[in-house]
Amino acid sequence: MSVRLAAAEIMKEPERSFDDILLALRERAKEFACLYRVDEILNRHEASPDEVLNELIPVIPSGWQFPDVCGARIEARDTVYGQDGPQVDSWAMSAEIAVHGEPAGRVTVFYTERRPKSDEGPFLAEERKLIQAIADRIGLYLLQRRLRMAYRTLEDALQTGRTADRPAWAVLIDFLRRTEPALLQRVTRKMINYLSWSGVAEVRGLLQEEPAGSAEARGPSADENRPAARQVMRS
């Protein structure tokens, strides 16, 4: 949502005093400025992940209602960036960082002093959306960085494979097996499902032979690649 749309929504709310509207507008402006700065930092591709995540720590509190007594912590890549946690659990709010749909860390914002009670402890409802937006952006940053590194590794592997007279598809599968086994299993499952629903009877036995423990790795549903039923259009 843009600043203009946020302001329009606030102005539509009935029975709000001018001071309340002005305060709400100021808070939304702080949140958007915080997100803008977060995006700027995460787009510094030349910097290392440690530099980027450490640089986010003093920026994140600027989007909260009481930044002077607000701290931030990021847990990612088996490392903790930022300050220690709050003295009281209820003074903190967190959001999970996910990469490829898998938990990859956590962003936590907390107050170092007691603040007035609001929508979620001392936090505004909009601040819950803000911390989730920051966590989503960090997850996307970590994913993009992993993909860039994987792409460089794959290029090297393909070059090595060419010199060894190996086909590119064999190099690619071997690369996924060594670096992203969960992704390889998911892709393989999708291919088998597609062939099965396309009428290739030989692959149906593979579906029945699937190990019992592989349900989690293959993703949300075994039917996710099933072609949709043909719809009859009525005039």
Side-chain angles (χ1 to χ4, degrees), residues 111-138:
Y111 286 122
T112 56
E113 298 177 3
R114 185 181 299 277
R115 295 290 94 184
K117 185 173 177 57
S118 189
D119 302 307
E120 184 180 334
F123 301 102
L124 300 172
E126 290 80 7
E127 290 169 346
R128 165 56 61 189
K129 299 176 184 177
L130 176 60
I131 194 172
Q132 188 59 61
I134 292 172
D136 291 343
R137 282 162 164 78
I138 294 174

Side-chain angles (χ1 to χ4, degrees), residues 6 78 88 162 190:
D78 299 322
V88 182
R162 290 190 191 99
K190 289 175 180 289

Side-chain angles (χ1 to χ4, degrees), residues 3 6 23-35 62-63:
V3 176
L23 178 61
L25 289 173
R26 285 175 178 168
E27 290 304 316
R28 299 301 82 73
K30 283 164 55 179
E31 292 161 10
F32 281 111
C34 174
L35 276 180
S62 67

Side-chain angles (χ1 to χ4, degrees), residues 74-91:
I74 299 173
E75 301 167 48
R77 305 174 65 251
D78 299 322
T79 306
V80 177
Y81 304 87
Q83 302 165 264
D84 293 333
Q87 299 177 5
V88 182
D89 290 343
S90 61
W91 295 0

